[in-house]
Amino acid sequence: KAGVTQTPRYLIKTRGQQVTLSCSPISGHRSVSWYQQTPGQGLQFLFEYFSETQRNKGNFPGRFSGRQFSNSRSEMNVSTLELGDSALYLCASSYTDRSYNEQFFGPGTRLTVL
Amino acid sequence: AQKITQTQPGMFVQEKEAVTLDCTYDTSDPSYGLFWYKQPSSGEMIFLIYQGSYDQQNATEGRYSLNFQKARKSANLVISASQLGDSAMYFCAMRDSPSNTGKLIFGQGTTLQVKP
């Protein structure tokens, strides 16, 4: 069974640009969550989607948005990039959104904003 | 508010010895899940072990075991017979479901270095 895939793996952008990251969950998984990892703030929850509906959103500005498609694939978008958006963005999938379901992570997209 | 605390920023262990990584948590929800992940330098988060709040026995997965002490709100990870490949960052995380969401709350992580 294929794992969670994220594209692209590396990305370099300049301030003010926008970026779209993609995540394909494990086949059969309906829940996709996104996390931002930085050395200073650690791992922070961005948002979670389940069956195309955003179930929860972390404490991030409106420049961060996402969506989930009917095949459970998810995208997140960051508009008007700032230097502080440089981070590793991790996507995780699980079968449901219940607390007892493990989340499996993808390899991440490393975003650098210059 | 839900919180995960990992008090050991860095740990060293000799190869083939056992090591315990500490994790304490705080939640008011009686139903929750506790997870440990390993993150090598490549960045990918690797799921290691899961413990549910209602599980009666401590979880084990190969060389990994979770020392779950519910009354003390601790969920320490024990790695037996350490290997050089165990050198990585380890994260404790909690997922609770007061509003049926799957959000994971992570601790700050512990860097483990295994010495030959």
Side-chain angles (χ1 to χ4, degrees):
Chain A
K1 201 180 224 183
V4 178
T5 58
Q6 291 187 248
T7 56
R9 292 292 310 277
Y10 301 91
L11 209 48
I12 299 175
K13 292 285 187 179
T14 56
R15 279 181 297 174
Q17 287 187 308
Q18 75 163 19
V19 66
T20 298
L21 312 181
S22 180
C23 171
S24 293
I26 292 171
S27 178
H29 284 193
R30 295 161 63 192
S31 174
V32 173
S33 299
W34 289 88
Y35 298 85
Q36 181 197 64
Q37 186 177 24
T38 59
Q41 298 298 316
L43 278 150
Q44 293 187 291
F45 171 78
L46 278 158
F47 23 66
E48 179 200 9
Y49 289 89
F50 182 75
S51 294
E52 301 180 66
T53 301
Q54 187 180 89
R55 298 297 297 270
N56 200 4
K57 191 175 191 302
N59 189 23
F60 279 83
R63 300 185 296 108
F64 291 81
S65 63
R67 59 178 175 168
Q68 187 180 34
F69 302 94
S70 58
N71 61 359
S72 295
R73 189 177 70 85
S74 177
E75 288 182 348
M76 68 163 281
N77 184 276
V78 188
S79 62
T80 319
L81 283 166
E82 301 177 359
L83 295 178
D85 297 334
S86 294
L88 179 67
Y89 290 88
L90 292 162
C91 164
S93 79
S94 62
Y95 181 65
T96 73
D97 58 347
R98 299 295 171 172
S99 64
Y100 47 82
N101 281 134
E102 305 96 286
Q103 282 190 326
F104 295 92
F105 283 78
T109 294
R110 193 168 292 278
L111 171 65
T112 302
V113 182
L114 302 175
Chain B
Q2 298 86 13
K3 189 178 180 181
I4 292 280
T5 302
Q6 293 180 255
T7 57
Q8 306 153 313
M11 292 276 288
F12 288 92
V13 65
Q14 206 65 38
E15 194 178 7
K16 299 180 185 177
E17 291 186 348
V19 63
T20 298
L21 306 183
D22 294 340
C23 171
T24 57
Y25 60 93
D26 189 24
T27 180
S28 56
D29 189 1
S31 175
Y32 53 89
L34 295 159
F35 303 81
W36 277 92
Y37 287 89
K38 171 185 177 182
Q39 187 177 43
S41 55
S42 60
E44 184 171 357
M45 297 283 280
I46 302 167
F47 167 74
L48 295 177
I49 197 166
Y50 165 80
Q51 180 84 42
S53 58
Y54 294 119
D55 293 343
Q56 296 296 313
Q57 293 188 322
N58 287 343
T60 60
E61 288 286 349
R63 294 186 299 112
Y64 305 106
S65 61
L66 201 151
N67 184 0
F68 181 46
Q69 298 188 46
K70 196 169 181 177
R72 297 180 59 185
K73 293 190 174 179
S74 75
N76 299 338
L77 176 71
V78 180
I79 306 174
S80 63
S82 297
Q83 301 172 356
L84 295 177
D86 293 335
S87 295
M89 179 82 93
Y90 288 80
F91 290 94
C92 179
M94 177 172 65
R95 186 180 191 181
D96 57 21
S97 58
S99 56
N100 289 335
T101 66
K103 170 178 137 181
L104 275 178
I105 300 157
F106 285 89
Q108 287 301 103
T110 295
T111 301
L112 177 67
Q113 292 190 36
V114 180
K115 294 182 174 181

